[in-house]
């Protein structure tokens, strides 16, 4: 497949890096000389220096009315909405089939045009901003205190939570069969296990051991029960009473709104140093206390009750600052501390400094777009866990699928893949061997990058 990517920043670079591994023909357009040189030196791609919003530059990449080798896909991920939109519209005009754009401003994701999404109105396959997804992920991490990662599925009705198995965990040395048999009232399924450097989809007889990192799919209503099952419960109540958020940008603001909606009686304290922004946020954020000051001010944090905080999240534009602030909040007594970063080299900092979780904003966006390019027939692409090799996606079973009318035991599923959940109307089901597949079923599918394409083709009827 021939793909043009506009923007070689953190997001564009990661997308190109992933798609090159799939043997696609990648052309990368970048206006910044430093970023363009970095791409040329580190990626096996064609790099064009220039503004991707200009028709003359797009023509160099094969996007023109007389092109004999028109790209299949264009991905615009610069930090300018106008550039992303213009390049996508020009590409569509010349016949590029699939166009994906990054939305920098929340105006394009939080509002509609004539009753429809801006993506649909502009004819784009995807027009996405990671802030909303990232804010929900952080909110879920705060709610499930011992979780390393949390991902929503099936429109938020199901979740995948990741835990590290400790010596005190109730599931140590138990098989998948044991766990399901002993918990018949909890809808759950262990979908991946990371053991050392190896990540795999477990069989029914696989046992769990100390230091395994497991991902567990469950109903949202069972999320707390699942946490208690995989972690020794510390008897603390799960109701969040006090949350600190440092940084009044898009992620911090969205997170504050989500937390107030979920926990209207909780104290939500947002710390922002810009006085004018504080005034705006105070008027905008109902039920949120906006503190005008620095997240580095330990006296401010102490006086506002950081020692009794259930959660602390640093969402400023400075990765290093977020890591330091979250680490300091941990030492001051905050129960769970989270740092937002944009550089993937910081994802393992939980092993180095006292911090509970790190969320990579750019990785979230890059993964969403990359998986949408790989699996254009899927209903929705889900980013599970960035440091695992397992891919997760939601797709709809097609009418012409060979799987229709068959049970799972009759299907030739690729080894190392599984269907973790069936969404049939309002019903959520974890399939068994005797469960029959029906057209229109929405499936949550787990597998490796190698095995996933065959599994997708099985249910969508398309290669």
């Amino acid at each position: 497949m021939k793909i043009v990517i506009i923007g070689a920043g953190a997001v564009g670079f990661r997308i190109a890096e992933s798609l090159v591994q799939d043997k696609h023909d990648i052309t990368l357009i970048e206006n910044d000389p430093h970023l363009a040189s970095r791409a040329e030196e580190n990626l096996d791609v064609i790099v064009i220096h220039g503004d991707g919003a200009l028709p003359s530059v797009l023509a160099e990449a094969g996007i023109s009315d007389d092109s004999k080798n028109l790209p299949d896909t264009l991905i615009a991920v610069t930090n300018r909405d106008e550039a992303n939109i213009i390049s996508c519209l020009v590409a569509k005009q010349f016949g590029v089939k699939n166009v994906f754009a990054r939305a920098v401003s929340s105006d394009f994701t939080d509002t509609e045009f004539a009753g429809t999404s801006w993506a649909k109105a502009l004819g784009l396959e995807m027009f996405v901003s990671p802030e909303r997804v990232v804010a929900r992920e952080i909110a879920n991490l705060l709610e499930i205190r011992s979780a390393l990662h949390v991902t929503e599925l099936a429109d938020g009705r199901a979740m995948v939570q990741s835990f590290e198995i400790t010596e005190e965990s109730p599931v140590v040395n138990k098989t998948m069969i044991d766990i399901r048999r002993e918990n018949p009232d909890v809808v759950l399924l262990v979908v991946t296990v990371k053991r050392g450097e190896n990540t795999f989809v477990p069989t029914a007889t696989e046992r769990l051991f100390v230091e395994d990192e497991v991902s567990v799919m469950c109903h949202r209503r069972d999320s707390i029960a699942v946490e208690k099952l995989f972690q020794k419960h510390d008897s603390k109540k799960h109701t969040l009473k006090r949350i600190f958020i440092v940084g009044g940008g898009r992620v911090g603001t969205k997170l504050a709104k989500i937390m107030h909606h979920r926990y209207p009686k909780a104290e939500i304290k947002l710390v922002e140093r810009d006085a004018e922004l504080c005034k705006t946020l105070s008027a905008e954020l109902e039920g949120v206390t906006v503190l005008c000051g620095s997240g580095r001010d330990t006296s401010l944090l102490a006086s506002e009750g950081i020692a009794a905080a259930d959660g602390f999240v640093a969402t400023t534009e400075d990765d290093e600052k977020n890591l330091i602030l979250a680490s300091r909040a941990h030492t001051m007594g905050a129960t769970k501390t989270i740092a937002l970063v944009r550089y993937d080299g910081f994802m393992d900092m939980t092993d180095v400094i006292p911090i509970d979780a790190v969320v990579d904003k750019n990785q979230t966006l890059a993964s969403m777009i990359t998986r949408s390019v790989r699996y254009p027939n899927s209903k929705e692409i889900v980013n599970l866990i960035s440091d695992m090799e397992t891919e997760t996606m939601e797709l709809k079973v097609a009418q012409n699928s060979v799987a229709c009318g068959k049970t799972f035991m009759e299907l030739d599923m690729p080894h190392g893949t599984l269907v973790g959940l069936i969404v049939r109307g309002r019903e959520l089901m974890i399939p068994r061997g005797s469960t029959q597949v029906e057209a229109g079923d929405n499936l949550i599918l787990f597998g490796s990058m190698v095995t996933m394409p065959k599994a997708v083709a099985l249910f969508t009827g398309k290669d």
Side-chain angles (χ1 to χ4, degrees):
M1 184 186 298
K2 187 175 182 181
I3 300 171
V4 174
I5 301 172
I6 302 175
V11 177
F13 188 93
R14 293 187 198 185
I15 293 173
E17 191 175 38
S18 295
L19 294 178
V20 162
Q21 297 176 15
D22 298 345
K23 310 300 181 184
H24 294 300
D25 180 6
I26 308 295
T27 298
L28 193 56
I29 301 175
E30 175 54 55
N31 206 25
D32 184 287
H34 172 71
L35 295 178
S37 296
R38 185 185 68 151
E40 287 179 320
E41 294 170 2
N42 295 280
L43 298 174
D44 184 17
V45 301
I46 297 172
V47 178
I48 297 175
H49 297 244
D51 186 344
L54 298 177
S56 59
V57 176
L58 291 174
E60 289 186 54
I63 301 176
S64 63
D65 56 357
D66 59 353
S67 176
K68 297 180 180 179
N69 192 20
L70 193 69
D72 304 281
T73 300
L74 179 133
I75 302 168
V77 287
T78 75
N79 59 4
R80 296 184 298 139
D81 282 331
E82 60 273 21
N84 295 336
I85 293 172
I86 291 172
S87 59
C88 286
L89 293 178
V90 172
K92 276 289 188 180
Q93 187 68 29
F94 286 129
V96 176
K97 294 180 180 178
N98 300 306
V99 295
F100 303 86
R102 171 190 185 182
V104 178
S105 171
S106 58
D107 284 350
F108 290 106
T109 54
D110 292 353
T111 62
E112 294 184 338
F113 176 80
T116 189
S117 69
W118 278 100
K120 188 174 182 180
L122 294 170
L124 314 182
E125 275 60 47
M126 178 181 285
F127 194 22
V128 62
S129 171
E131 280 81 10
R132 180 181 296 172
V133 177
V134 168
R136 290 181 68 88
E137 179 181 354
I138 294 174
N140 290 332
L141 281 169
L142 290 171
E143 192 170 336
I144 313 300
R145 296 188 183 184
S146 58
L148 303 174
H149 308 276
V150 179
T151 300
E152 292 184 339
L153 303 173
D155 298 322
R157 291 188 290 147
M159 306 176 77
V160 175
Q161 308 173 54
S162 297
F163 306 98
E164 181 176 340
I165 303 299
T166 63
E167 293 181 355
E168 297 81 15
S169 174
V171 297
V172 171
N173 294 324
K174 292 189 178 181
T175 66
M176 307 300 110
I177 295 176
D178 294 336
I179 295 171
R180 290 192 65 175
R181 184 178 59 239
E182 295 171 8
N183 301 275
D185 297 329
V186 181
V187 179
L188 68 89
L189 182 67
V190 177
V191 292
T192 64
V193 177
K194 183 178 183 181
R195 185 169 296 154
E197 297 300 318
N198 184 33
T199 302
F200 57 92
V201 175
T203 63
T205 56
E206 183 70 45
R207 292 185 182 276
L208 297 180
F209 301 109
V210 174
E211 296 187 356
D212 282 351
E213 185 176 323
V214 299
S215 294
V216 187
M217 202 271 322
C218 68
H219 274 289
R220 173 177 280 279
R221 66 169 182 266
D222 292 328
S223 59
I224 303 303
V226 168
E227 181 185 16
K228 293 179 181 179
L229 179 62
F230 284 83
Q231 291 285 314
K232 184 179 180 181
H233 194 43
D234 62 5
S235 76
K236 291 183 179 179
K237 294 183 179 179
H238 275 79
T239 300
L240 303 178
K241 296 181 179 180
R242 183 176 297 162
I243 301 295
F244 280 78
I245 302 168
V246 177
R250 289 192 292 268
V251 174
T253 301
K254 289 182 183 297
L255 177 60
K257 291 178 180 179
I258 291 172
M259 296 311 298
H260 175 63
H261 175 74
R262 292 188 184 181
Y263 297 93
K265 295 182 179 180
E267 297 178 32
I268 311 297
K269 300 174 183 286
L270 192 153
V271 182
E272 170 55 49
R273 64 186 309 167
D274 186 299
E276 289 302 315
L277 181 56
C278 284
K279 293 179 182 179
T280 301
L281 294 175
S282 295
E284 177 185 344
L285 298 176
E286 179 182 354
V288 176
T289 301
V290 178
L291 304 173
C292 193
S294 171
R296 296 175 179 173
D297 188 342
T298 55
S299 297
L300 173 64
L301 297 178
S303 66
E304 292 293 334
I306 188 67
D310 298 297
F312 178 97
V313 187
T315 68
T316 76
E317 295 296 317
D318 187 321
D319 288 3
E320 289 87 350
K321 180 180 178 180
N322 290 340
L323 291 166
I324 293 171
L325 292 177
S327 176
R328 181 176 293 175
H330 181 90
T331 62
M332 294 181 71
T335 299
K336 185 160 189 176
T337 58
I338 302 170
L340 179 69
V341 300
R342 294 153 185 82
Y343 172 55
D344 59 357
F346 289 134
M347 289 303 292
D348 61 354
M349 291 302 289
T350 53
D351 298 327
V352 181
I353 60 177
I355 183 174
D356 295 298
V358 176
V359 177
D360 186 342
K361 175 183 173 181
N362 287 333
Q363 182 61 43
T364 297
L365 178 58
S367 296
M368 291 172 67
I369 295 175
T370 300
R371 289 181 173 87
S372 293
V373 172
R374 284 177 178 157
Y375 311 112
N377 299 314
S378 63
K379 176 178 179 289
E380 180 181 351
I381 304 300
V382 182
N383 179 33
L384 178 57
I385 302 169
S386 61
D387 62 348
M388 285 192 176
E389 297 83 3
T390 304
E391 292 196 319
T392 312
M393 63 186 303
E394 180 178 353
L395 57 79
K396 189 172 185 177
V397 178
Q399 292 282 350
N400 64 336
S401 167
V402 296
C404 289
K406 293 183 179 179
T407 63
F408 281 92
M409 67 176 64
E410 295 173 328
L411 295 178
D412 183 23
M413 287 281 290
H415 179 71
T417 60
L418 63 79
V419 174
L421 188 72
I422 299 176
V423 184
R424 186 173 293 165
R426 294 299 301 173
E427 184 180 7
L428 301 184
M429 300 180 290
I430 289 182
R432 300 181 182 274
S434 59
T435 304
Q436 190 174 73
V437 179
E438 296 182 6
D441 282 349
N442 289 321
L443 309 181
I444 307 296
L445 197 62
F446 296 83
S448 70
M449 191 172 69
V450 176
T451 61
M452 187 67 86
K454 182 178 178 182
V456 171
L458 180 66
F459 295 106
T460 61
K462 299 179 181 179
D463 295 328

